[in-house]
C-alpha cells in the first residue's frame, strides 16, 4: 500500500472528527506464545489502516488543526544493540521520513507529552475496552487534567468511539485495497487448486494444509488470514475444526476453508471435494444443492440489495432442495419460517471481508439491514452438514459436510467474484483432480 493511501485515510478521519478533537490509537501489544517466544507480530488492523506502521510499542495521535502537525507518532527510539537482535526500528526520524508523521517522540515520553495534547480538547476519539492497561492510562491523563482545573486547564468532555468511525471507513474498499484483496484471493484460489491436485486417499489433513500454506508463502503471503480448516468426512461437520490431524479416507469428501493474508488483507475460500477425485451420487446431490444455493446467493450481491438478501436466497434454495431429496418434508415457506433447515445449515451465509477475516462494519443501520454499495466485500458461503447418527435422516447422507465459499466485491453494476480462480462445479473439480 502506498504512503499516500494512509495519509488520505488520516485526512478523511480528521475531517469527520472536526476541530477540538484528538484521536488516540495504541499499537497492538506483542503476545507471548510460550516463555520467551512471541507470536509473529501482527499490527492491529485499525492502527495499521491509519498508519501503515508495523512496529509494536507505538501510539498514533491525530489532532485536526494542530499547529505543529496533525499526525504525531510515538514509537521506539533507534537502538543499535536492540536492533542487532530484534530487527530494525524506524525511530523518530524514520517515523517522519518514511511513515508520514508530522512529528514523532520516543514512546518512553508518552506520559510526559500526551496529556499536553489532550489539554483543552473537547473530544477524545478512542476505542475503549480493547487494551485495558491503555484505557487506565487514558483515565489517568484525563484525571490529571481535571486536577488542574483551577489553573485554567479543561479536560476533555467526551470520549467517543473511534472504532465506529474507522470501521465504517474500512467497509468501503478503495481501488488500492481492492487490488490487494484481488491478489490475496488469487493466491488463495491457486492454493485450493493445488490441494485438489495433490490430494490422495491416505494422506493426512495436515499434509493438505501444508500444500496450501506452501502456495501462500511462495506468493509472498507471510501468514494465513486464519487457521486453515481441513476436515475429511465427518470432521467437515465440525464448523471450526482445526486439528487437521486425521487421515483422509477413500470415499470421503474433504472440506478446506483456507485463505491467505497479503499485506494485512484476508482472503477466505472454502471448497469441498472428494478425496479420491470422484463424487458419489449422494455427495454429488448434496454438493450440487449447496452450489445452487451459493450461486443464487451471489446473484443477490448487487448495489441496492440489502445485506440479508443473499442469505434468504441461500436458505430458500437449500430448503427446497432438502425437500426434493427427502431430507425435509412439508411446505417450503412453512419450513423456512420454522427454520427446519437449521439442523443442517446452522450458520449465516457470509460476513464482511477485509483486513480482518470477519471484517468490521455494521450489518444493520438502526433496525434495517445494511444496503450493499460498491466497494464492499463479503463472503458467500452456504453449506450443509449431516453428521453421522443424525436422527430422521437416511444413513446414506451421514458423514457429509459441505461448504462452498467465495469472496465477492460489490461493483457499480453487480459484483465481481474475487476467488473465481478455483473451480466449484462437479465436472470442473473432477477434471482438475484427474489431470
Ligand atoms: N474462515 C472463517 C469463515 O469462513 O467465516
Ligand atoms: Mn468466511
Ligand atoms: Mn472461511
Amino acid at each position: 500500500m502506498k504512503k499516500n493511501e494512509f495519509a488520505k485515510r488520516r485526512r478523511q478521519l480528521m475531517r469527520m472528527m472536526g476541530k477540538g478533537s484528538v484521536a488516540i490509537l495504541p499499537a497492538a501489544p506483542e503476545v507471548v506464545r510460550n516463555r520467551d517466544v512471541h507470536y509473529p507480530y501482527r499490527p492491529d488492523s485499525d492502527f495499521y489502516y491509519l498508519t501503515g506502521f508495523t512496529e509494536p510499542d507505538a501510539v498514533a495521535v491525530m489532532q485536526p488543526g494542530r499547529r505543529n502537525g496533525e499526525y504525531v507518532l510515538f514509537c521506539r527510539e533507534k537502538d543499535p544493540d536492540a536492533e542487532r537482535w530484534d530487527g530494525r526500528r524506524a525511530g523518530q526520524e524514520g517515523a517522519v521520513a518514511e511513515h508520514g508523521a508530522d512529528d514523532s517522540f520516543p514512546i518512553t515520553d508518552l506520559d510526559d507529552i500526551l496529556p499536553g495534547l489532550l489539554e483543552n480538547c473537547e473530544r477524545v476519539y478512542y476505542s475503549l475496552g480493547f487494551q485495558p492497561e491503555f484505557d487506565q492510562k487514558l483515565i489517568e491523563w484525563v484525571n490529571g487534567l481535571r486536577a488542574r482545573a483551577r489553573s485554567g486547564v479543561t479536560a476533555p468532555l467526551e470520549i467517543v468511539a473511534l472504532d465506529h468511525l474507522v470501521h465504517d471507513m474500512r467497509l468501503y474498499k478503495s481501488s488500492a485495497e481492492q487490488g490487494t484483496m484481488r491478489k490475496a484471493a488469487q493466491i488463495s484460489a491457486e492454493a485450493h487448486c493445488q490441494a485438489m491436485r495433490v490430494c490422495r486417499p491416505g494422506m493426512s489433513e495436515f499434509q493438505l494444509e501444508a500444500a496450501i500454506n506452501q502456495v501462500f508463502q511462495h506468493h509472498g503471503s507471510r501468514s494465513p488470514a486464519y487457521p486453515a480448516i481441513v476436515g475429511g468426512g465427518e470432521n467437515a461437520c465440525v464448523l471450526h475444526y482445526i486439528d487437521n490431524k486425521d487421515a483422509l479416507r477413500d470415499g470421503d469428501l474433504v472440506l478446506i476453508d483456507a485463505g491467505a493474508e497479503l499485506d494485512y488483507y484476508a482472503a477466505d475460500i472454502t471448497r469441498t471435494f472428494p478425496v479420491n477425485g470422484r463424487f458419489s451420487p449422494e455427495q454429488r446431490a448434496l454438493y450440487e444443492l449447496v452450489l445452487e444455493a451459493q450461486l443464487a446467493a451471489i446473484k443477490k450481491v448487487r448495489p441496492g440489495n440489502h445485506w440479508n438478501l443473499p442469505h434468504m436466497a441461500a436458505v430458500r434454495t437449500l430448503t427446497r432442495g432438502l425437500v426434493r431429496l427427502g431430507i425435509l418434508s412439508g411446505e417450503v415457506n412453512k419450513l423456512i419460517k420454522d427454520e427446519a433447515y437449521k439442523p443442517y445449515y446452522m450458520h449465516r451465509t457470509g460476513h464482511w471481508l477485509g483486513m480482518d477475516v470477519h471484517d468490521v462494519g455494521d450489518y444493520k443501520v438502526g433496525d434495517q439491514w445494511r444496503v450493499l454499495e460498491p466497494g464492499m466485500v463479503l463472503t458467500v458461503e452456504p453449506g450443509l452438514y449431516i453428521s453421522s447418527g443424525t436422527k430422521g435422516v437416511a444413513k446414506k447422507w451421514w458423514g457429509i459436510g459441505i461448504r462452498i465459499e467465495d469472496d465477492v466485491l460489490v461493483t457499480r453494476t453487480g459484483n465481481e467474484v474475487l476467488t473465481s480462480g478455483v473451480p466449484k462445479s462437479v465436472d470442473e473439480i473432477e477434471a482438475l483432480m484427474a489431470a
Side-chain angles (χ1 to χ4, degrees):
M1 210 63 64
K2 295 214 179 84
K3 243 166 75 173
N4 188 38
E5 177 88 4
F6 299 105
K8 217 160 59 185
R9 293 169 185 171
R10 288 191 295 270
R11 281 198 300 275
Q12 190 187 339
L13 175 68
M14 285 193 269
R15 254 198 318 275
M16 291 192 286
M17 289 162 53
K19 290 255 164 65
S21 63
V22 59
I24 305 175
L25 286 100
E30 288 191 280
V31 182
V32 172
R33 181 179 183 277
N34 58 312
R35 197 164 162 83
D36 58 351
V37 178
H38 290 90
Y39 284 104
Y41 186 69
R42 164 58 159 86
D44 170 75
S45 298
D46 285 347
F47 183 88
Y48 181 81
Y49 180 80
L50 291 168
T51 65
F53 196 66
T54 56
E55 292 181 25
D57 288 325
V59 174
V61 179
M62 280 155 246
Q63 193 165 24
R66 180 171 175 265
R67 234 180 294 137
N68 299 328
E70 295 183 314
Y71 170 36
V72 180
L73 185 59
F74 293 84
C75 60
R76 301 178 301 190
E77 285 180 276
K78 295 290 286 176
D79 177 343
D81 277 346
E83 287 178 64
R84 173 176 300 287
W85 289 90
D86 298 324
R88 297 194 186 92
R89 300 176 175 189
Q92 280 60 61
E93 262 177 50
V96 173
E98 317 285 333
H99 298 281
D102 297 312
D103 213 349
S104 177
F105 301 102
I107 187 72
T108 44
D109 292 350
L110 188 68
D111 270 322
D112 298 328
I113 296 173
L114 201 86
L117 298 175
L118 296 180
E119 223 174 283
N120 304 325
C121 240
E122 282 169 39
R123 289 179 310 285
V124 180
Y125 284 85
Y126 175 73
S127 303
L128 272 168
F130 298 96
Q131 292 198 41
E133 282 177 28
F134 202 90
D135 293 355
Q136 191 54 41
K137 271 190 184 204
L138 180 63
I139 291 168
E140 282 163 21
W141 294 325
V142 170
N143 276 339
L145 295 175
R146 286 174 181 151
R148 291 168 49 209
R150 277 180 303 260
S151 55
V153 172
T154 48
L157 301 173
E158 293 174 58
I159 296 185
V160 187
L162 174 64
D163 37 329
H164 197 251
L165 281 189
V166 179
H167 293 178
D168 208 66
M169 291 171 64
R170 281 175 53 191
L171 184 53
Y172 299 87
K173 275 71 180 175
S174 68
S175 57
E177 290 178 290
Q178 291 173 24
T180 302
M181 291 190 73
R182 202 171 281 116
K183 259 192 233 153
Q186 282 162 356
I187 292 169
S188 306
E190 173 50 28
H192 280 262
C193 289
Q194 182 63 4
M196 289 180 191
R197 283 186 209 108
V198 303
C199 184
R200 298 283 179 278
M203 272 178 84
S204 298
E205 293 164 340
F206 56 74
Q207 287 174 324
L208 271 194
E209 184 181 4
I212 291 256
N213 287 339
Q214 197 278 334
V215 177
F216 287 179
Q217 296 206 4
H218 179 80
H219 290 284
S221 159
R222 304 296 293 135
S223 167
Y226 54 91
I229 296 168
V230 182
E234 184 72 25
N235 291 341
C237 297
V238 179
L239 295 179
H240 291 161
Y241 176 80
I242 52 168
D243 284 351
N244 303 354
K245 62 179 174 31
D246 288 348
L248 294 164
R249 293 188 322 197
D250 201 349
D252 277 351
L253 293 176
V254 57
L255 180 155
I256 303 183
D257 184 342
E261 183 178 87
L262 188 72
D263 295 338
Y264 306 112
Y265 285 82
D268 184 8
I269 302 182
T270 308
R271 287 292 184 270
T272 310
F273 56 89
V275 170
N276 64 14
R278 308 285 298 179
F279 285 85
S280 74
E282 286 76 21
Q283 291 167 350
R284 175 191 272 263
L286 284 181
Y287 184 89
E288 292 194 320
L289 174 53
V290 175
L291 183 56
E292 188 192 342
Q294 204 230 13
L295 295 173
I298 290 175
K299 259 201 190 147
K300 297 290 180 189
V301 179
R302 48 181 312 115
N305 275 4
H306 68 66
W307 167 260
N308 209 38
L309 282 177
H311 181 64
M312 287 163 67
V315 161
R316 176 159 295 274
T317 306
L318 290 174
T319 305
R320 221 192 298 126
L322 289 171
V323 171
R324 206 163 57 216
L325 296 174
I327 295 172
L328 288 178
S329 59
E331 199 266 314
V332 170
N333 284 327
K334 169 119 174 48
L335 292 168
I336 292 173
K337 192 161 155 275
D338 296 344
E339 301 186 330
Y341 55 86
K342 272 243 172 117
Y344 320 111
Y345 181 43
M346 58 295 283
H347 59 76
R348 306 249 341 149
T349 301
H351 49 83
W352 301 130
L353 183 73
M355 296 189 71
D356 296 310
V357 62
H358 295 159
D359 207 32
V360 295
D362 291 335
Y363 291 93
K364 275 193 168 178
V365 179
D367 59 357
Q368 300 292 315
W369 290 110
R370 185 128 198 178
V371 172
L372 300 177
E373 294 178 60
M376 295 176 172
V377 181
L378 56 142
T379 67
V380 178
E381 50 177 307
L384 282 174
Y385 313 89
I386 305 182
S387 5
S388 298
T390 302
K391 291 215 179 72
V393 177
K395 229 176 175 171
K396 62 177 180 176
W397 305 114
W398 288 6
I400 299 181
I402 295 165
R403 179 165 62 257
I404 306 172
E405 174 174 31
D406 282 303
D407 304 343
V408 185
L409 165 69
V410 183
T411 62
R412 275 192 308 147
T413 53
N415 69 60
E416 174 187 343
V417 179
L418 303 177
T419 44
S420 58
V422 53
K424 58 185 175 183
S425 77
V426 164
D427 287 348
E428 285 171 322
I429 289 175
E430 290 188 344
L432 177 64
M433 295 186 73

